[in-house]
Amino acid sequence: MALGNRRKSGISSNAALMFQGGIGVLGLIAILVFGIPVQLSGPGLLPSVFYGMLGAVGTYALLLVLSRIPGLFPDNLERQMQGLYNFASGYSPAVLILLSLLAGAGEELLFRGAVQGWLMEYTSPSAAVLTASVLFGLVHYVSFTYFLVATGLGLVLGGAYVLSESLLLVMVWHAVYDMIALFCLLRFPRWFGVREGRGEHTEPQE
């Protein structure tokens, strides 16, 4: 599917990439300044990449199944999916792949590496995972349901980091998950109740 040439989001690709990359820089600075211990690749490089990819596919498949259960979530995700579609469809495939990679690396450096890693020095692993996951959900807050989904993903990634002792594994997991989610949304928008071309010229609501 062609992703289009117009910036429907109003944000240039350079700005989006710099913002996403800046999250990783912030996480890395926090890790270095506070001396937070980071477990980079517990089971090894190839196993971390393999299990990260496997986890991403499984997590996304599970979310698709759960989203089809009537009444499971407080509200549906159609509005949020429409907004994400309008955002993502303005970028080229290469930019979306780079954004996914930067999100996987940067957000995991910040939330799992820095925040969760720091909390684990002063609290239990379960408290550290829960707190970092709620913060992860709040940063992604666009609706209560989206907050629940993001927090749930944070719990999965946080638990995977504790069990695997591999930050690389959760980076790959997160990045591949984002790539799958964007591909499915742009290739099969009707799965998510998205109308192609909708919302391109809407004005901000007061």
Side-chain angles (χ1 to χ4, degrees):
M1 171 190 236
L3 300 183
N5 297 316
R6 289 174 289 180
R7 293 285 188 275
K8 297 178 185 177
S9 66
I11 303 173
S12 72
S13 58
N14 287 338
L17 291 168
M18 287 179 64
F19 174 80
Q20 201 66 66
I23 294 174
V25 172
L26 180 63
L28 184 59
I29 290 174
I31 288 170
L32 295 175
V33 169
F34 295 103
I36 301 168
V38 174
Q39 307 292 328
L40 188 56
S41 57
L45 177 61
L46 292 180
S48 292
V49 172
F50 174 76
Y51 287 115
M53 294 176 67
L54 189 64
V57 173
T59 304
Y60 190 74
L62 177 61
L63 180 60
L64 278 182
V65 172
L66 293 177
S67 67
R68 297 299 188 270
I69 300 176
L72 181 63
F73 295 112
D75 52 67
N76 64 54
L77 291 169
E78 289 184 7
R79 183 177 179 183
Q80 290 75 45
M81 292 299 100
Q82 184 71 57
L84 182 57
Y85 175 86
N86 291 339
F87 172 84
S89 59
Y91 298 112
S92 69
V95 169
L96 292 177
I97 290 172
L98 283 174
L99 284 173
S100 297
L101 291 172
L102 287 172
E107 292 183 15
E108 293 313 304
L109 269 173
L110 179 59
F111 289 100
R112 253 55 67 182
V115 176
Q116 183 174 310
W118 181 79
L119 288 169
M120 285 184 67
E121 294 191 288
Y122 301 99
T123 64
S124 66
S126 58
V129 170
L130 178 60
T131 303
S133 300
V134 171
L135 290 174
F136 181 74
L138 288 172
V139 167
H140 291 82
Y141 191 101
V142 291
S143 73
F144 185 62
T145 292
Y146 204 86
F147 162 75
L148 291 177
V149 171
T151 300
L153 179 61
L155 289 170
V156 170
L157 292 170
Y161 181 40
V162 171
L163 293 174
S164 69
E165 298 184 341
S166 173
L167 188 62
L168 175 61
L169 184 148
V170 293
M171 285 179 172
V172 172
W173 192 320
H174 190 152
V176 174
Y177 175 92
D178 282 357
M179 290 181 198
I180 295 171
L182 288 172
F183 172 80
C184 290
L185 178 62
L186 294 171
R187 183 65 179 83
F188 310 104
R190 293 186 181 180
W191 286 6
F192 308 94
V194 168
R195 298 180 185 178
E196 298 179 66
R198 179 180 169 188
E200 294 178 30
H201 304 292
T202 56
E203 296 293 329
Q205 298 297 316
E206 297 294 337

